[in-house]
Amino acid sequence: MIRPVVLCLGDTRFAQEALQQLELIAECVTLPEDTTREKFFTLLNDPTSKLSKVSIITRTAGSIKQTGRFDKELAEKLPDNVVAICHNGAGYDQIDVRYFNDRHIQVSNTPHIVSNATADNHVFLLLGALRNFSCGSRNLLEGKWPQTGESAGTPYGHDPEGKTVGILGLGSIGRAIVKRLKPFGFKEFIYHNRRKLSSDLENGCRYVSFDELLTQSDIISINVPLNQNTRHLLDSNAFEKMKQGVVIVNTARGAIIDEVALICALKSGKVRSAGLDVFEFEPHVSKELMDMKQVLVLPHMGTHCVETTQKMEEHVFRNVESVIKTGKVISIVPEICEEEWFKNLA
């Protein structure tokens, strides 16, 4: 029996056992670390190369260094035998899904698996921004305590009680965040999605319009995917509508916020503080933003833990196995799930 060829882009850090199981039914190949996008394209179309025979591709966000974005050009370069791309991550903004949909190539991600770890990270940033922990930590590390006075001269923070949290995107991550925040005593949770959810999914959160979320929230929690509709969703006009002294927390994607507008809002005090795990041009981060003591920052650590990373990697390999055995991935992305060609797959 000829085993299908699977191209594994990016490292497997913790799911080696799952990879070994996959290798029993598939021939898994990788790219040399020094592979460029141009070289990748050449190998894909070289009949003597294993890459020309690839039927399934797995990828990590870090593999973009070798292949570049999975865009229209890359979609057109893939050989006809490619049937699925299995992405390691809940967010898949590095993939322009429409071009793979046009070629009837399945795209899968790892939804839900990331929810708990990302929510934990989000709550840390939210509470830290609310209490001015970044400023206190920086002042301490700079040796400003005790000479600068109580708490190293850090401005007083705020308690959760009486505050309204606006959840922008009440999906699985948003709901996990609300679950973790409820015991802290916040006054109310409001949310905005493209459409109102059922009461069981709302879990006590109140649905509002986008503008109502901006004007009513003391804290805005960002949990929407990055796409053409959400890029710069929080721009200068959005900041103008917010409460004076609002707190912004983003663990989704950096480009959902216009970073220039955010810096202006932080300077003016419209935004009192922010907790950020993602940045518009990461890994390059504005020095002006980094130097603001009222901004608590992390280098995209939402799922940077052993257990969650392993589960994500294992899910990617389960998607591959499912394609080999059934013709379909387990977790197709929303843009493709209702397409007739996908529904008609064996």
Side-chain angles (χ1 to χ4, degrees), residues 227-240:
N227 54 45
Q228 59 185 359
N229 298 316
T230 61
R231 183 175 294 275
H232 284 192
L233 185 61
L234 296 190
D235 57 11
S236 57
N237 290 329
F239 284 116
E240 286 178 8

Side-chain angles (χ1 to χ4, degrees), residues 59-127:
R59 72 177 305 278
T60 65
S63 69
I64 196 171
K65 296 174 184 176
Q66 294 175 301
T67 66
R69 285 183 58 83
F70 270 49
D71 54 12
K72 181 179 181 181
E73 181 186 30
L74 193 148
E76 291 173 346
K77 297 285 187 180
L78 291 180
D80 292 339
N81 31 278
V82 174
V83 297
I85 296 162
C86 301
H87 175 69
N88 185 352
Y92 47 93
D93 45 284
Q94 293 180 346
I95 304 174
D96 296 328
V97 174
R98 54 182 168 167
Y99 302 118
F100 299 92
N101 184 24
D102 290 343
R103 292 200 56 189
H104 294 188
I105 296 173
Q106 301 173 63
V107 178
S108 68
N109 64 338
T110 61
H112 310 304
I113 296 171
V114 306
S115 298
N116 288 336
T118 304
D120 293 344
N121 187 45
H122 195 99
V123 170
F124 166 81
L125 288 169
L126 190 153
L127 295 175

Side-chain angles (χ1 to χ4, degrees), residues 8-306:
C8 298
L9 298 173
D11 296 332
T12 298
R13 294 181 171 88
F14 303 110
Q16 284 79 13
E17 185 176 336
L19 177 57
Q20 289 170 5
Q21 290 298 311
L22 177 61
E23 288 174 333
L24 297 176
I25 61 172
E27 181 179 358
C28 298
V29 299
T30 59
L31 291 180
E33 288 187 8
D34 60 352
T35 301
T36 63
R37 182 175 171 95
E38 291 71 26
K39 179 65 174 176
F40 178 53
F41 288 163
T42 299
L43 292 171
L44 285 173
N45 293 283
D46 178 357
T48 67
S49 167
K50 283 286 185 185
L51 267 63
S52 68
K53 300 173 177 60
V54 163
S55 58
I56 304 167
I57 299 174
T58 71
R59 72 177 305 278
T60 65
S63 69
I64 196 171
K65 296 174 184 176
Q66 294 175 301
T67 66
R69 285 183 58 83
F70 270 49
D71 54 12
K72 181 179 181 181
E73 181 186 30
L74 193 148
E76 291 173 346
K77 297 285 187 180
L78 291 180
D80 292 339
N81 31 278
V82 174
V83 297
I85 296 162
C86 301
H87 175 69
N88 185 352
Y92 47 93
D93 45 284
Q94 293 180 346
I95 304 174
D96 296 328
V97 174
R98 54 182 168 167
Y99 302 118
F100 299 92
N101 184 24
D102 290 343
R103 292 200 56 189
H104 294 188
I105 296 173
Q106 301 173 63
V107 178
S108 68
N109 64 338
T110 61
H112 310 304
I113 296 171
V114 306
S115 298
N116 288 336
T118 304
D120 293 344
N121 187 45
H122 195 99
V123 170
F124 166 81
L125 288 169
L126 190 153
L127 295 175
L130 188 64
R131 291 286 303 276
N132 291 337
F133 286 160
S134 176
C135 183
S137 177
R138 295 193 198 199
N139 286 350
L140 175 63
L141 292 171
E142 291 171 6
K144 294 182 177 179
W145 197 42
Q147 61 266 36
T148 50
E150 181 183 10
S151 298
T154 304
Y156 276 93
H158 292 272
D159 292 324
E161 287 82 4
K163 308 298 187 298
T164 295
V165 180
I167 306 292
L168 185 56
L170 193 63
S172 59
I173 294 173
R175 293 193 293 272
I177 289 167
V178 170
K179 179 181 178 181
R180 284 158 173 74
L181 288 179
K182 280 194 171 184
F184 287 95
F186 289 94
K187 175 186 175 182
E188 183 182 24
F189 294 91
I190 59 178
Y191 79 97
H192 178 72
N193 281 15
R194 287 174 297 176
R195 61 185 68 86
K196 189 177 186 300
L197 300 175
S198 61
S199 58
D200 59 320
L201 291 178
E202 286 181 325
N203 191 23
C205 300
R206 178 168 61 89
Y207 179 76
V208 296
S209 69
F210 178 58
D211 279 357
E212 287 172 328
L213 184 136
L214 297 178
T215 59
Q216 295 178 22
S217 300
D218 298 298
I219 301 154
I220 295 179
S221 163
I222 301 170
N223 309 286
V224 293
L226 175 63
N227 54 45
Q228 59 185 359
N229 298 316
T230 61
R231 183 175 294 275
H232 284 192
L233 185 61
L234 296 190
D235 57 11
S236 57
N237 290 329
F239 284 116
E240 286 178 8
K241 297 175 183 178
M242 296 177 193
K243 286 185 177 182
Q244 187 70 21
V246 68
V247 174
I248 302 292
V249 186
N250 187 11
T251 56
R253 287 292 185 268
I256 294 165
I257 301 176
D258 179 343
E259 216 159 80
V260 172
L262 172 62
I263 290 171
C264 290
L266 283 161
K267 284 180 175 179
S268 71
K270 168 65 81 167
V271 175
R272 183 176 64 81
S273 59
L276 306 173
D277 186 45
V278 290
F279 305 89
E280 185 169 1
F281 304 107
E282 65 179 65
H284 306 290
V285 183
S286 161
K287 186 177 185 302
E288 188 173 17
L289 186 64
M290 289 286 289
D291 287 344
M292 292 181 169
K293 290 188 177 181
Q294 70 270 45
V295 181
L296 179 57
V297 294
L298 292 173
H300 205 143
M301 296 182 70
T303 58
H304 196 68
C305 41
V306 172

